[in-house]
Amino acid sequence: MKIKNVEAFWLRCPIPPAKQHRSDYGLLTEFDMTLVVVTTESGLQGFGEAKAAVGSSGSCASIVSCVENELKPILVGQDVRNISRLWEMIYNGTRDHYALNRGRKFPILGRRGLTVSAMSGVDTALWDIKGKMLGVPVVELLGGACRDSMPAYASGGWAGADKIGEQLLSYTAKGFKGVKMRVGIMDNTVHESIKRVKAAREALGDSIKLMTDAHGTFSVPEAKQFCRGVEDCNLYWFEEPISPDNKVGTAEVRASTAIPIAAGESEYTVFDVRDLIDLRALDVVQPDSAIIGGITEAMRTAHLANTYQLELAPHCWGSAFSFMAGVNVAFAAPAATIIEFSLGGNPMMYDLVEENIEAVDGQIAAPTAPGLGLTPNWDFVKEFKQTVR
């Protein structure tokens, strides 16, 4: 089972005006993603997502170039079944033989950033192929599902204080028992963020889990002020309170509050997550399979979370492919108890694939289809593929 080809497609699809929202990233009018396709000599294909940005919109030209010009030459002709070996070959480059011989890393300079994002898409596609080869979902390859189903939380919440309750209640009306709202610089002041959270909790009552996400936009003092202001709102977690580059500051915020701190969606490889844990900076670990290094590295992160008795909550805001990658990891991980489910305008979640992705009464069932269980809508790919020069 040799690899014959590795391709990457930058897709950009407009978001219908009625489903657009404004956050600290601005008004999101388009959704971008990089679809990575690995094809074997027998014609079997696997699919993954590589991210150029955590948000919905961003140029993917550099990701496409990295996949096709840097990673493809390494992968073509290799045995598609050797996922761990291929991960090490990409991560260690020309010194991969040392890494495999000595059992430790000899990483390339691009061990963070877009190179790891690009290999994330490739790695996920390899897991997809292996599941299809064996006729089992990826979760079976990771050790099997810990649960038959898991609750999902509705991820959205951009409305102002006067409308946030109504917006979040529209989520719970669909059966979700947990919701996440955005706070931070988009509100201009900490006071306004606090006001919106208080309005949300009042509307939801005490039985609904409420999470907040600042997208890393508060300063350390602002994050502390926010925590003090919402300490009676029973937050399930406070996500990315400050810049992910300031891990010491994140630890300082966590030490100042009893509110659980979540982070990890902006991190590359398990080494970054290890550093957060060493600093006692978080309670909830959120790897993104399209950023951290694929399903391989997301699962290593899951084992780390389990070892340190931290909750795992994979970041699943993206296309159907990164969503299902996160779902398979979550079901295989004892530390995961809840799954993110995007309620923003997301054509990459629903129109990119033939399958219907849904949470039934706020629950997601354990995967059963081979691989990731997804089939690209090639008409959609053709229509929204961007030219990369």
Side-chain angles (χ1 to χ4, degrees):
M1 293 292 288
K2 304 293 186 180
I3 296 174
K4 180 180 180 180
N5 197 14
V6 181
E7 302 169 278
F9 304 102
W10 171 14
L11 307 182
R12 168 170 283 175
C13 181
I15 300 173
K19 295 184 178 181
Q20 294 174 5
H21 65 266
R22 184 180 296 277
S23 72
D24 50 286
Y25 292 107
L27 180 64
L28 295 178
T29 61
E30 298 170 317
F31 207 115
D32 294 270
M33 68 89 68
T34 309
L35 175 65
V36 177
V37 184
V38 176
T39 305
T40 69
E41 290 179 344
S42 67
L44 187 61
Q45 290 187 317
F47 309 100
E49 178 183 357
K51 285 186 179 176
V54 174
S56 308
S57 182
S59 173
C60 301
S62 55
I63 292 283
V64 172
S65 177
C66 183
V67 170
E68 298 195 340
N69 297 318
E70 297 182 39
L71 305 190
K72 177 180 175 178
I74 298 173
L75 295 165
V76 168
Q78 296 294 327
D79 192 323
V80 74
R81 296 170 295 184
N82 297 332
I83 298 175
S84 296
R85 181 189 296 178
L86 296 177
W87 200 97
E88 295 298 324
M89 289 175 64
I90 296 172
Y91 189 71
N92 294 287
T94 57
R95 299 187 296 180
D96 66 308
H97 59 292
Y98 291 127
L100 293 168
N101 180 263
R102 302 297 178 93
R104 56 188 168 89
K105 310 297 185 190
F106 290 78
I108 60 172
L109 183 62
R111 68 190 182 278
R112 298 292 188 274
L114 294 180
T115 300
V116 174
S117 288
M119 66 185 288
S120 298
V122 169
D123 180 81
T124 297
L126 294 176
W127 283 100
D128 187 30
I129 287 178
K130 196 157 192 175
K132 291 172 180 175
M133 289 171 57
L134 300 174
V136 298
V138 169
V139 67
E140 291 295 323
L141 307 178
L142 300 176
C146 293
R147 305 161 184 86
D148 294 330
S149 66
M150 289 179 65
Y153 70 89
S155 185
W158 302 275
D162 59 334
K163 296 289 186 179
I164 189 65
E166 178 184 344
Q167 187 177 56
L168 297 181
L169 286 172
S170 73
Y171 303 165
T172 61
K174 298 177 181 178
F176 293 99
K177 303 300 189 295
V179 298
K180 185 166 75 180
M181 61 181 289
R182 272 58 183 179
V183 296
I185 198 71
M186 60 175 275
D187 292 326
N188 292 318
T189 66
V190 178
H191 174 75
E192 186 63 23
S193 286
I194 294 171
K195 181 180 176 181
R196 291 178 59 244
V197 173
K198 287 182 175 293
R201 175 51 77 194
E202 182 178 358
L204 293 170
D206 296 328
S207 62
I208 299 296
K209 289 183 172 69
L210 176 60
M211 300 85 150
T212 58
D213 184 354
H215 287 169
T217 59
F218 280 137
S219 66
V220 171
E222 288 171 338
K224 290 180 180 180
Q225 181 186 350
F226 174 80
C227 289
R228 289 194 299 270
V230 299
E231 61 185 7
D232 61 345
C233 292
N234 189 27
L235 294 186
Y236 192 70
W237 72 55
F238 178 21
E239 185 172 328
E240 282 207 322
I242 68 169
S243 169
D245 285 344
N246 189 357
K247 292 179 172 60
V248 172
T250 303
E252 186 179 337
V253 173
R254 180 175 180 260
S256 74
T257 183
I259 299 171
I261 301 299
E265 70 182 53
S266 301
E267 306 300 342
Y268 295 96
T269 78
V270 73
F271 297 112
D272 280 355
V273 177
R274 176 207 59 193
D275 292 346
L276 283 166
I277 293 173
D278 285 348
L279 290 167
R280 299 182 181 273
L282 78 175
D283 303 278
V284 183
V285 186
Q286 299 176 300
D288 189 317
S289 294
I291 293 174
I292 199 166
I295 289 174
T296 294
E297 204 71 351
M299 201 62 204
R300 289 170 180 163
T301 302
H303 292 315
L304 195 61
N306 190 51
T307 300
Y308 283 89
Q309 299 289 278
L310 302 172
E311 182 172 355
L312 183 82
H315 183 247
C316 293
W317 187 278
S319 79
F321 294 99
S322 62
F323 174 79
M324 286 307 299
V327 166
N328 277 272
V329 168
F331 270 97
T337 61
I338 196 166
I339 295 172
E340 181 174 25
F341 197 92
S342 167
L343 263 70
N346 189 346
M348 301 301 179
M349 182 84 156
Y350 303 108
D351 302 326
L352 173 59
V353 295
E354 301 289 349
E355 292 75 15
N356 183 31
I357 297 177
E358 60 182 352
V360 180
D361 196 27
Q363 294 281 321
I364 295 177
T368 57
L372 294 178
L374 299 173
T375 310
N377 177 345
W378 290 110
D379 289 336
F380 181 94
V381 173
K382 182 178 179 180
E383 181 177 0
F384 296 109
K385 176 186 172 183
Q386 302 297 300
T387 300
V388 177
R389 301 185 186 280

